[in-house]
Amino acid sequence: MERTDTDVDEFLAGVEGPRGDDLRTLDRIIAEELAGLERVLWHGPMWGGTEQRIVGYGGITQPRSRGASIEWFLVGLADQQQHLSVYVNAAEDGEYLVKRRAAELGTVKVGSAAITFTSLTALDEAAFRSMLRRARELTPDAR
């Protein structure tokens, strides 16, 4: 994936219906908790080869277990075909925060570093905000 010059607000405005409303609400929450960090639209194939558009908050250099480090985002927000996804690329004691806090986040599906859900009502906002604040604390070099 690569950073784009696409205006994030224009991109978000183009998503219609209740999912668009949820996406914009999540954007506001993430932007509030990560105030001062960059907010950029990323575009291109994700790991599995699917074409994605992800709003990335906070630029980081992420080490990889195999190969060179990559430029990436601390938190990413995406509208998928069947759900919304939030990626949190911060770890504590060797485990991604999403995994560590899975039980607190609501009735959502949790992967290694991703939370997925079909409606914002499934996500516990207070726990989500707390996780975002901790991600920022753990990643002081985010820009």
Side-chain angles (χ1 to χ4, degrees), residues 89-111:
N89 296 305
E92 186 169 29
D93 298 326
E95 186 176 29
Y96 279 111
L97 283 181
V98 168
K99 279 289 213 195
R100 291 180 65 88
R101 297 188 178 212
E104 305 166 16
L105 294 171
T107 54
V108 298
K109 183 178 175 188
V110 173

Side-chain angles (χ1 to χ4, degrees), residues 25-118:
T25 299
L26 282 164
D27 171 68
R28 180 185 48 77
I29 291 168
I30 297 167
E32 286 173 3
E33 296 301 335
L34 302 180
L37 299 183
E38 71 178 17
R39 179 173 163 258
V40 175
L41 186 68
W42 291 70
H43 181 245
M46 193 71 158
W47 315 131
T50 60
E51 197 73 14
Q52 300 277 331
R53 284 188 170 85
I54 299 176
V55 179
Y57 308 81
I60 62 171
T61 301
Q62 187 172 41
R64 304 309 257 168
S65 57
R66 297 183 192 122
S69 297
I70 62 167
E71 293 303 309
W72 205 224
F73 45 78
L74 177 59
V75 174
L77 173 61
D79 178 26
Q80 311 291 355
Q81 284 185 342
Q82 302 297 319
H83 57 267
L84 297 171
S85 294
V86 178
Y87 305 94
V88 181
N89 296 305
E92 186 169 29
D93 298 326
E95 186 176 29
Y96 279 111
L97 283 181
V98 168
K99 279 289 213 195
R100 291 180 65 88
R101 297 188 178 212
E104 305 166 16
L105 294 171
T107 54
V108 298
K109 183 178 175 188
V110 173
S112 293
I115 309 163
T116 60
F117 45 93
T118 56

